[in-house]
Amino acid sequence: MTQTLTVQDIEVLIDGQGPTVVMLHGWPDSPALWDESVAALRDGYRCVRFALPGYDLGRPPRPVSVDQMCQLVAAIVDEVSPDQKVTLMLHDWGCFFGYEYAARHTDRVSRVVAADIGDTNTGAYLKSLTAKEKAMIAGYQLWLAVAWKLGPLLPGLANRMTRWMARTIGCRTPAAEIAWQMNYPYAMQWFGTLGGLRGVARVDKVFGPTLPTLFFFGKRKPFMFHSARWLAQLATTPGSAAHGLDAGHWLMKQKPEQFNRTVRDWLDRAHAAT
C-alpha cells in the first residue's frame, strides 16, 4: 500500500521496500508520470514521489526559486532516508532541479537516473544547436513563460495557452490536469523570475565524473537537450551509461517496458556491487 507523509505542505507518496529512489517529474506532469516505474521497482526499491510546488492544481499557485526547490528536496530526502543515500530519478524540469540538489548534496545522493534533459548549461550543448533548433526551443518556452505572467490576471487565457502548447508538443497529460501555474520554471529561465537560473552547477562536471548517471533520451524529437560530447563522456565513465530510445520526450510513458527494465537492471547491478 502507498504510504503518505507531508513535508513543507507537500504530499509525499511512498511505495515499496528497499533502497530509496526519489522521483522528480517535470512540466506539465504529476507523480503519476512514474506509475509504471513504481510498479517495476517497488518489489526491490522504496519509491518516493511528490508533485513539484505549484503542480498540485488542488492548491494555490506556489512558484519557488532554485534555492527553495533544493531546500524542499533536501527536506524530503532527509525525512524519507535520514541515514542512507538515495537514488534520484528525474525527468524534464525534475532533471534541472534534481541535478542542482544533487550537486549541492553529493553526500546524500548515490546515483542518478535522468530522462531527456542533459548538459543543457554547457557550451558544448549550445554549440550543438542549429539556429532553427534554438528558435524552436525559444518559441515554446517563451510562450509558456508569457502564459505564466498572464496567469494571475487572465487565468482562462493562460490555461488555454498552456494546454495548447502541451498538446502541440505531444504531452499526454490530460488537459484538465494542466494549468498556467506550472509554467514558472520558464519564467525563471527567460524573465529571471524568482532569481532566475544563474549560478547552477555545470551538469557535465558532476554527473558521470562524481555521481554515476544513467541517462535516457528520446530519438524521435525535433531537437535534443544534451550534447554528443556528454553522451560520449557517460559511455566512457565506469558506472554510467546513456541510452537512446525510439520515443519522444515522455519516453518512460512511450517505452515503459524498455525504460523500466534498463533502470531496474542498472540499479540491481549497482547495489549488488556495493
Side-chain angles (χ1 to χ4, degrees), residues 54-98:
Y55 281 60
D56 182 346
L57 301 186
R59 296 172 180 265
R62 185 182 172 181
V64 297
S65 67
V66 174
D67 285 348
Q68 290 170 326
M69 186 71 82
C70 288
Q71 290 165 10
L72 170 64
V73 176
I76 291 172
V77 169
D78 290 347
E79 180 70 24
V80 300
S81 187
D83 301 318
Q84 300 292 329
K85 294 182 178 182
V86 303
T87 295
L88 295 182
M89 193 163 172
L90 315 170
H91 180 242
D92 192 74
W93 280 103
C95 285
F96 177 86
F97 294 120

mmCIF file of all heavy atoms in Angstrom, residues 54-98:
data_model
loop_
_atom_site.group_PDB
_atom_site.id
_atom_site.type_symbol
_atom_site.label_atom_id
_atom_site.label_comp_id
_atom_site.label_asym_id
_atom_site.label_seq_id
_atom_site.Cartn_x
_atom_site.Cartn_y
_atom_site.Cartn_z
ATOM 1 N N GLY A 54 3.361 23.975 -6.792
ATOM 2 C CA GLY A 54 2.586 24.629 -7.834
ATOM 3 C C GLY A 54 1.988 23.680 -8.846
ATOM 4 O O GLY A 54 1.152 24.086 -9.659
ATOM 5 N N TYR A 55 2.369 22.410 -8.827
ATOM 6 C CA TYR A 55 1.876 21.443 -9.807
ATOM 7 C C TYR A 55 0.682 20.649 -9.288
ATOM 8 O O TYR A 55 0.079 19.883 -10.045
ATOM 9 C CB TYR A 55 2.995 20.501 -10.225
ATOM 10 C CG TYR A 55 3.937 21.109 -11.240
ATOM 11 C CD1 TYR A 55 4.669 22.263 -10.948
ATOM 12 C CD2 TYR A 55 4.105 20.541 -12.486
ATOM 13 C CE1 TYR A 55 5.533 22.822 -11.869
ATOM 14 C CE2 TYR A 55 4.964 21.093 -13.428
ATOM 15 C CZ TYR A 55 5.672 22.241 -13.103
ATOM 16 O OH TYR A 55 6.522 22.805 -14.023
ATOM 17 N N ASP A 56 0.351 20.778 -8.032
ATOM 18 C CA ASP A 56 -0.877 20.202 -7.474
ATOM 19 C C ASP A 56 -1.973 21.242 -7.667
ATOM 20 O O ASP A 56 -2.031 22.248 -6.952
ATOM 21 C CB ASP A 56 -0.680 19.881 -5.992
ATOM 22 C CG ASP A 56 -1.901 19.232 -5.366
ATOM 23 O OD1 ASP A 56 -2.989 19.267 -5.982
ATOM 24 O OD2 ASP A 56 -1.780 18.721 -4.239
ATOM 25 N N LEU A 57 -2.849 21.016 -8.648
ATOM 26 C CA LEU A 57 -3.838 22.033 -9.010
ATOM 27 C C LEU A 57 -4.938 22.179 -7.971
ATOM 28 O O LEU A 57 -5.761 23.087 -8.073
ATOM 29 C CB LEU A 57 -4.438 21.710 -10.383
ATOM 30 C CG LEU A 57 -3.429 21.629 -11.536
ATOM 31 C CD1 LEU A 57 -4.156 21.456 -12.859
ATOM 32 C CD2 LEU A 57 -2.532 22.860 -11.565
ATOM 33 N N GLY A 58 -4.941 21.318 -6.976
ATOM 34 C CA GLY A 58 -5.882 21.474 -5.877
ATOM 35 C C GLY A 58 -5.417 22.486 -4.845
ATOM 36 O O GLY A 58 -6.141 22.781 -3.891
ATOM 37 N N ARG A 59 -4.216 23.030 -5.060
ATOM 38 C CA ARG A 59 -3.652 24.009 -4.133
ATOM 39 C C ARG A 59 -3.357 25.309 -4.872
ATOM 40 O O ARG A 59 -3.281 25.324 -6.102
ATOM 41 C CB ARG A 59 -2.370 23.459 -3.509
ATOM 42 C CG ARG A 59 -2.591 22.212 -2.649
ATOM 43 C CD ARG A 59 -1.268 21.617 -2.226
ATOM 44 N NE ARG A 59 -1.448 20.419 -1.409
ATOM 45 C CZ ARG A 59 -1.449 20.408 -0.094
ATOM 46 N NH1 ARG A 59 -1.262 21.542 0.573
ATOM 47 N NH2 ARG A 59 -1.620 19.283 0.570
ATOM 48 N N PRO A 60 -3.190 26.421 -4.153
ATOM 49 C CA PRO A 60 -2.889 27.696 -4.811
ATOM 50 C C PRO A 60 -1.555 27.638 -5.533
ATOM 51 O O PRO A 60 -0.699 26.801 -5.231
ATOM 52 C CB PRO A 60 -2.840 28.695 -3.644
ATOM 53 C CG PRO A 60 -3.584 28.044 -2.527
ATOM 54 C CD PRO A 60 -3.350 26.574 -2.692
ATOM 55 N N PRO A 61 -1.332 28.517 -6.515
ATOM 56 C CA PRO A 61 -0.027 28.595 -7.176
ATOM 57 C C PRO A 61 1.094 28.756 -6.152
ATOM 58 O O PRO A 61 0.942 29.467 -5.161
ATOM 59 C CB PRO A 61 -0.155 29.831 -8.068
ATOM 60 C CG PRO A 61 -1.618 29.941 -8.345
ATOM 61 C CD PRO A 61 -2.295 29.480 -7.076
ATOM 62 N N ARG A 62 2.216 28.097 -6.414
ATOM 63 C CA ARG A 62 3.322 28.131 -5.462
ATOM 64 C C ARG A 62 4.658 28.118 -6.203
ATOM 65 O O ARG A 62 5.382 27.129 -6.193
ATOM 66 C CB ARG A 62 3.233 26.939 -4.499
ATOM 67 C CG ARG A 62 4.280 26.953 -3.376
ATOM 68 C CD ARG A 62 4.148 25.721 -2.509
ATOM 69 N NE ARG A 62 5.237 25.612 -1.565
ATOM 70 C CZ ARG A 62 5.389 24.608 -0.684
ATOM 71 N NH1 ARG A 62 4.508 23.635 -0.643
ATOM 72 N NH2 ARG A 62 6.418 24.578 0.143
ATOM 73 N N PRO A 63 4.998 29.193 -6.891
ATOM 74 C CA PRO A 63 6.304 29.237 -7.545
ATOM 75 C C PRO A 63 7.418 29.310 -6.507
ATOM 76 O O PRO A 63 7.281 29.971 -5.479
ATOM 77 C CB PRO A 63 6.233 30.516 -8.380
ATOM 78 C CG PRO A 63 5.268 31.388 -7.642
ATOM 79 C CD PRO A 63 4.250 30.455 -7.061
ATOM 80 N N VAL A 64 8.517 28.618 -6.768
ATOM 81 C CA VAL A 64 9.638 28.619 -5.838
ATOM 82 C C VAL A 64 10.924 28.864 -6.609
ATOM 83 O O VAL A 64 11.043 28.541 -7.795
ATOM 84 C CB VAL A 64 9.742 27.295 -5.049
ATOM 85 C CG1 VAL A 64 8.513 27.077 -4.184
ATOM 86 C CG2 VAL A 64 9.947 26.111 -5.985
ATOM 87 N N SER A 65 11.903 29.419 -5.938
ATOM 88 C CA SER A 65 13.214 29.660 -6.532
ATOM 89 C C SER A 65 14.016 28.369 -6.575
ATOM 90 O O SER A 65 13.629 27.344 -5.985
ATOM 91 C CB SER A 65 13.968 30.703 -5.712
ATOM 92 O OG SER A 65 14.285 30.175 -4.436
ATOM 93 N N VAL A 66 15.156 28.411 -7.239
ATOM 94 C CA VAL A 66 16.052 27.252 -7.260
ATOM 95 C C VAL A 66 16.481 26.883 -5.840
ATOM 96 O O VAL A 66 16.468 25.705 -5.459
ATOM 97 C CB VAL A 66 17.286 27.532 -8.137
ATOM 98 C CG1 VAL A 66 18.290 26.382 -8.028
ATOM 99 C CG2 VAL A 66 16.885 27.744 -9.587
ATOM 100 N N ASP A 67 16.844 27.872 -5.047
ATOM 101 C CA ASP A 67 17.247 27.603 -3.665
ATOM 102 C C ASP A 67 16.115 26.950 -2.882
ATOM 103 O O ASP A 67 16.334 25.980 -2.144
ATOM 104 C CB ASP A 67 17.672 28.896 -2.968
ATOM 105 C CG ASP A 67 19.039 29.380 -3.412
ATOM 106 O OD1 ASP A 67 19.755 28.608 -4.082
ATOM 107 O OD2 ASP A 67 19.395 30.532 -3.082
ATOM 108 N N GLN A 68 14.902 27.480 -3.023
ATOM 109 C CA GLN A 68 13.760 26.933 -2.298
ATOM 110 C C GLN A 68 13.442 25.512 -2.741
ATOM 111 O O GLN A 68 13.099 24.656 -1.919
ATOM 112 C CB GLN A 68 12.545 27.833 -2.477
ATOM 113 C CG GLN A 68 12.661 29.166 -1.769
ATOM 114 C CD GLN A 68 11.560 30.131 -2.160
ATOM 115 O OE1 GLN A 68 11.086 30.136 -3.311
ATOM 116 N NE2 GLN A 68 11.135 30.960 -1.229
ATOM 117 N N MET A 69 13.562 25.245 -4.050
ATOM 118 C CA MET A 69 13.309 23.891 -4.530
ATOM 119 C C MET A 69 14.344 22.930 -3.973
ATOM 120 O O MET A 69 14.007 21.811 -3.534
ATOM 121 C CB MET A 69 13.338 23.851 -6.056
ATOM 122 C CG MET A 69 12.935 22.503 -6.635
ATOM 123 S SD MET A 69 11.160 22.146 -6.458
ATOM 124 C CE MET A 69 10.521 23.064 -7.882
ATOM 125 N N CYS A 70 15.604 23.323 -3.966
ATOM 126 C CA CYS A 70 16.640 22.457 -3.418
ATOM 127 C C CYS A 70 16.436 22.214 -1.924
ATOM 128 O O CYS A 70 16.674 21.098 -1.428
ATOM 129 C CB CYS A 70 18.022 23.063 -3.669
ATOM 130 S SG CYS A 70 18.555 22.993 -5.397
ATOM 131 N N GLN A 71 15.991 23.223 -1.220
ATOM 132 C CA GLN A 71 15.698 23.061 0.201
ATOM 133 C C GLN A 71 14.543 22.091 0.424
ATOM 134 O O GLN A 71 14.568 21.275 1.355
ATOM 135 C CB GLN A 71 15.385 24.421 0.820
ATOM 136 C CG GLN A 71 16.597 25.338 0.918
ATOM 137 C CD GLN A 71 16.232 26.781 1.184
ATOM 138 O OE1 GLN A 71 15.074 27.106 1.492
ATOM 139 N NE2 GLN A 71 17.204 27.673 1.053
ATOM 140 N N LEU A 72 13.530 22.159 -0.445
ATOM 141 C CA LEU A 72 12.402 21.228 -0.338
ATOM 142 C C LEU A 72 12.862 19.803 -0.611
ATOM 143 O O LEU A 72 12.524 18.881 0.160
ATOM 144 C CB LEU A 72 11.303 21.626 -1.319
ATOM 145 C CG LEU A 72 10.167 20.611 -1.474
ATOM 146 C CD1 LEU A 72 9.400 20.448 -0.167
ATOM 147 C CD2 LEU A 72 9.235 21.009 -2.613
ATOM 148 N N VAL A 73 13.600 19.592 -1.684
ATOM 149 C CA VAL A 73 14.081 18.245 -1.990
ATOM 150 C C VAL A 73 14.952 17.723 -0.851
ATOM 151 O O VAL A 73 14.840 16.563 -0.444
ATOM 152 C CB VAL A 73 14.846 18.228 -3.323
ATOM 153 C CG1 VAL A 73 15.426 16.841 -3.589
ATOM 154 C CG2 VAL A 73 13.931 18.642 -4.477
ATOM 155 N N ALA A 74 15.795 18.590 -0.307
ATOM 156 C CA ALA A 74 16.645 18.186 0.817
ATOM 157 C C ALA A 74 15.805 17.759 2.012
ATOM 158 O O ALA A 74 16.106 16.745 2.672
ATOM 159 C CB ALA A 74 17.581 19.324 1.202
ATOM 160 N N ALA A 75 14.752 18.505 2.292
ATOM 161 C CA ALA A 75 13.891 18.169 3.429
ATOM 162 C C ALA A 75 13.200 16.826 3.215
ATOM 163 O O ALA A 75 13.072 16.016 4.146
ATOM 164 C CB ALA A 75 12.860 19.274 3.646
ATOM 165 N N ILE A 76 12.761 16.563 1.986
ATOM 166 C CA ILE A 76 12.089 15.299 1.697
ATOM 167 C C ILE A 76 13.076 14.145 1.774
ATOM 168 O O ILE A 76 12.786 13.105 2.385
ATOM 169 C CB ILE A 76 11.400 15.366 0.324
ATOM 170 C CG1 ILE A 76 10.208 16.334 0.385
ATOM 171 C CG2 ILE A 76 10.938 13.977 -0.124
ATOM 172 C CD1 ILE A 76 9.563 16.620 -0.945
ATOM 173 N N VAL A 77 14.245 14.301 1.183
ATOM 174 C CA VAL A 77 15.255 13.243 1.242
ATOM 175 C C VAL A 77 15.638 12.947 2.685
ATOM 176 O O VAL A 77 15.733 11.779 3.099
ATOM 177 C CB VAL A 77 16.494 13.635 0.415
ATOM 178 C CG1 VAL A 77 17.651 12.668 0.693
ATOM 179 C CG2 VAL A 77 16.172 13.652 -1.075
ATOM 180 N N ASP A 78 15.842 13.970 3.479
ATOM 181 C CA ASP A 78 16.232 13.770 4.879
ATOM 182 C C ASP A 78 15.118 13.110 5.684
ATOM 183 O O ASP A 78 15.387 12.366 6.628
ATOM 184 C CB ASP A 78 16.618 15.107 5.514
ATOM 185 C CG ASP A 78 17.929 15.652 4.967
ATOM 186 O OD1 ASP A 78 18.656 14.894 4.303
ATOM 187 O OD2 ASP A 78 18.215 16.847 5.206
ATOM 188 N N GLU A 79 13.874 13.378 5.308
ATOM 189 C CA GLU A 79 12.745 12.772 6.010
ATOM 190 C C GLU A 79 12.587 11.300 5.661
ATOM 191 O O GLU A 79 12.363 10.465 6.532
ATOM 192 C CB GLU A 79 11.458 13.524 5.668
ATOM 193 C CG GLU A 79 10.203 12.981 6.337
ATOM 194 C CD GLU A 79 10.160 13.224 7.828
ATOM 195 O OE1 GLU A 79 10.825 14.173 8.306
ATOM 196 O OE2 GLU A 79 9.473 12.461 8.551
ATOM 197 N N VAL A 80 12.700 10.976 4.372
ATOM 198 C CA VAL A 80 12.424 9.602 3.952
ATOM 199 C C VAL A 80 13.635 8.690 4.066
ATOM 200 O O VAL A 80 13.494 7.469 4.140
ATOM 201 C CB VAL A 80 11.885 9.557 2.503
ATOM 202 C CG1 VAL A 80 10.595 10.363 2.396
ATOM 203 C CG2 VAL A 80 12.913 10.040 1.496
ATOM 204 N N SER A 81 14.847 9.252 4.085
ATOM 205 C CA SER A 81 16.058 8.426 4.151
ATOM 206 C C SER A 81 17.139 9.156 4.932
ATOM 207 O O SER A 81 18.162 9.565 4.379
ATOM 208 C CB SER A 81 16.555 8.096 2.737
ATOM 209 O OG SER A 81 17.626 7.183 2.788
ATOM 210 N N PRO A 82 16.936 9.320 6.238
ATOM 211 C CA PRO A 82 17.864 10.136 7.030
ATOM 212 C C PRO A 82 19.264 9.558 7.146
ATOM 213 O O PRO A 82 20.232 10.308 7.344
ATOM 214 C CB PRO A 82 17.181 10.209 8.401
ATOM 215 C CG PRO A 82 16.284 9.014 8.448
ATOM 216 C CD PRO A 82 15.823 8.800 7.049
ATOM 217 N N ASP A 83 19.401 8.233 7.011
ATOM 218 C CA ASP A 83 20.692 7.605 7.283
ATOM 219 C C ASP A 83 21.371 7.011 6.053
ATOM 220 O O ASP A 83 22.507 6.558 6.137
ATOM 221 C CB ASP A 83 20.517 6.495 8.330
ATOM 222 C CG ASP A 83 19.932 7.024 9.635
ATOM 223 O OD1 ASP A 83 20.358 8.109 10.058
ATOM 224 O OD2 ASP A 83 19.045 6.356 10.193
ATOM 225 N N GLN A 84 20.693 6.988 4.922
ATOM 226 C CA GLN A 84 21.234 6.376 3.726
ATOM 227 C C GLN A 84 21.118 7.317 2.535
ATOM 228 O O GLN A 84 20.173 8.091 2.427
ATOM 229 C CB GLN A 84 20.492 5.061 3.398
ATOM 230 C CG GLN A 84 20.562 4.005 4.486
ATOM 231 C CD GLN A 84 21.958 3.446 4.660
ATOM 232 O OE1 GLN A 84 22.731 3.378 3.697
ATOM 233 N NE2 GLN A 84 22.304 3.055 5.885
ATOM 234 N N LYS A 85 22.086 7.226 1.621
ATOM 235 C CA LYS A 85 21.991 7.972 0.381
ATOM 236 C C LYS A 85 20.816 7.467 -0.456
ATOM 237 O O LYS A 85 20.361 6.331 -0.287
ATOM 238 C CB LYS A 85 23.281 7.837 -0.427
ATOM 239 C CG LYS A 85 24.505 8.469 0.219
ATOM 240 C CD LYS A 85 25.710 8.320 -0.706
ATOM 241 C CE LYS A 85 26.943 8.981 -0.114
ATOM 242 N NZ LYS A 85 28.108 8.886 -1.039
ATOM 243 N N VAL A 86 20.359 8.303 -1.367
ATOM 244 C CA VAL A 86 19.241 7.934 -2.232
ATOM 245 C C VAL A 86 19.676 7.954 -3.695
ATOM 246 O O VAL A 86 20.670 8.579 -4.067
ATOM 247 C CB VAL A 86 18.044 8.890 -2.044
ATOM 248 C CG1 VAL A 86 17.599 8.921 -0.584
ATOM 249 C CG2 VAL A 86 18.368 10.301 -2.547
ATOM 250 N N THR A 87 18.903 7.263 -4.510
ATOM 251 C CA THR A 87 18.988 7.405 -5.960
ATOM 252 C C THR A 87 17.960 8.442 -6.389
ATOM 253 O O THR A 87 16.830 8.433 -5.899
ATOM 254 C CB THR A 87 18.685 6.067 -6.659
ATOM 255 O OG1 THR A 87 19.699 5.115 -6.331
ATOM 256 C CG2 THR A 87 18.609 6.230 -8.168
ATOM 257 N N LEU A 88 18.344 9.332 -7.277
ATOM 258 C CA LEU A 88 17.400 10.277 -7.869
ATOM 259 C C LEU A 88 16.981 9.773 -9.236
ATOM 260 O O LEU A 88 17.812 9.306 -10.027
ATOM 261 C CB LEU A 88 18.022 11.660 -8.008
ATOM 262 C CG LEU A 88 18.393 12.409 -6.734
ATOM 263 C CD1 LEU A 88 18.953 13.789 -7.086
ATOM 264 C CD2 LEU A 88 17.201 12.551 -5.791
ATOM 265 N N MET A 89 15.680 9.884 -9.529
ATOM 266 C CA MET A 89 15.128 9.508 -10.830
ATOM 267 C C MET A 89 14.380 10.735 -11.353
ATOM 268 O O MET A 89 13.413 11.196 -10.720
ATOM 269 C CB MET A 89 14.204 8.304 -10.677
ATOM 270 C CG MET A 89 13.828 7.631 -11.965
ATOM 271 S SD MET A 89 13.179 5.976 -11.592
ATOM 272 C CE MET A 89 12.590 5.499 -13.205
ATOM 273 N N LEU A 90 14.822 11.281 -12.501
ATOM 274 C CA LEU A 90 14.450 12.638 -12.877
ATOM 275 C C LEU A 90 13.979 12.718 -14.324
ATOM 276 O O LEU A 90 14.441 11.972 -15.192
ATOM 277 C CB LEU A 90 15.669 13.559 -12.717
ATOM 278 C CG LEU A 90 16.490 13.408 -11.427
ATOM 279 C CD1 LEU A 90 17.784 14.212 -11.529
ATOM 280 C CD2 LEU A 90 15.677 13.851 -10.221
ATOM 281 N N HIS A 91 13.089 13.680 -14.582
ATOM 282 C CA HIS A 91 12.642 13.948 -15.955
ATOM 283 C C HIS A 91 12.368 15.436 -16.118
ATOM 284 O O HIS A 91 11.848 16.078 -15.216
ATOM 285 C CB HIS A 91 11.361 13.163 -16.271
ATOM 286 C CG HIS A 91 10.840 13.389 -17.654
ATOM 287 N ND1 HIS A 91 9.605 13.954 -17.898
ATOM 288 C CD2 HIS A 91 11.385 13.139 -18.873
ATOM 289 C CE1 HIS A 91 9.404 14.024 -19.204
ATOM 290 N NE2 HIS A 91 10.465 13.540 -19.823
ATOM 291 N N ASP A 92 12.747 15.979 -17.285
ATOM 292 C CA ASP A 92 12.399 17.346 -17.664
ATOM 293 C C ASP A 92 12.887 18.335 -16.596
ATOM 294 O O ASP A 92 14.045 18.289 -16.204
ATOM 295 C CB ASP A 92 10.883 17.428 -17.907
ATOM 296 C CG ASP A 92 10.439 18.695 -18.582
ATOM 297 O OD1 ASP A 92 10.676 18.834 -19.800
ATOM 298 O OD2 ASP A 92 9.862 19.563 -17.901
ATOM 299 N N TRP A 93 12.021 19.237 -16.111
ATOM 300 C CA TRP A 93 12.462 20.180 -15.082
ATOM 301 C C TRP A 93 12.850 19.463 -13.795
ATOM 302 O O TRP A 93 13.628 19.986 -12.988
ATOM 303 C CB TRP A 93 11.381 21.225 -14.800
ATOM 304 C CG TRP A 93 11.380 22.313 -15.819
ATOM 305 C CD1 TRP A 93 10.504 22.482 -16.859
ATOM 306 C CD2 TRP A 93 12.311 23.401 -15.919
ATOM 307 N NE1 TRP A 93 10.838 23.599 -17.592
ATOM 308 C CE2 TRP A 93 11.941 24.176 -17.043
ATOM 309 C CE3 TRP A 93 13.427 23.793 -15.182
ATOM 310 C CZ2 TRP A 93 12.647 25.321 -17.428
ATOM 311 C CZ3 TRP A 93 14.128 24.923 -15.577
ATOM 312 C CH2 TRP A 93 13.740 25.671 -16.681
ATOM 313 N N GLY A 94 12.333 18.258 -13.593
ATOM 314 C CA GLY A 94 12.809 17.464 -12.468
ATOM 315 C C GLY A 94 14.295 17.184 -12.581
ATOM 316 O O GLY A 94 14.997 17.099 -11.573
ATOM 317 N N CYS A 95 14.796 17.045 -13.834
ATOM 318 C CA CYS A 95 16.246 16.907 -14.037
ATOM 319 C C CYS A 95 16.964 18.165 -13.578
ATOM 320 O O CYS A 95 17.943 18.094 -12.826
ATOM 321 C CB CYS A 95 16.555 16.651 -15.511
ATOM 322 S SG CYS A 95 16.179 14.992 -16.097
ATOM 323 N N PHE A 96 16.498 19.316 -14.053
ATOM 324 C CA PHE A 96 17.191 20.552 -13.702
ATOM 325 C C PHE A 96 17.270 20.726 -12.188
ATOM 326 O O PHE A 96 18.355 20.939 -11.617
ATOM 327 C CB PHE A 96 16.477 21.758 -14.308
ATOM 328 C CG PHE A 96 17.100 23.068 -13.923
ATOM 329 C CD1 PHE A 96 18.157 23.580 -14.652
ATOM 330 C CD2 PHE A 96 16.666 23.767 -12.802
ATOM 331 C CE1 PHE A 96 18.759 24.773 -14.275
ATOM 332 C CE2 PHE A 96 17.257 24.953 -12.422
ATOM 333 C CZ PHE A 96 18.309 25.453 -13.167
ATOM 334 N N PHE A 97 16.138 20.611 -11.502
ATOM 335 C CA PHE A 97 16.127 20.822 -10.053
ATOM 336 C C PHE A 97 16.838 19.677 -9.321
ATOM 337 O O PHE A 97 17.539 19.898 -8.330
ATOM 338 C CB PHE A 97 14.697 20.982 -9.554
ATOM 339 C CG PHE A 97 14.012 22.217 -10.055
ATOM 340 C CD1 PHE A 97 12.850 22.140 -10.804
ATOM 341 C CD2 PHE A 97 14.537 23.467 -9.782
ATOM 342 C CE1 PHE A 97 12.221 23.286 -11.265
ATOM 343 C CE2 PHE A 97 13.920 24.623 -10.245
ATOM 344 C CZ PHE A 97 12.755 24.530 -10.991
ATOM 345 N N GLY A 98 16.662 18.456 -9.802
ATOM 346 C CA GLY A 98 17.341 17.324 -9.177
ATOM 347 C C GLY A 98 18.845 17.385 -9.345
ATOM 348 O O GLY A 98 19.599 17.074 -8.414
#
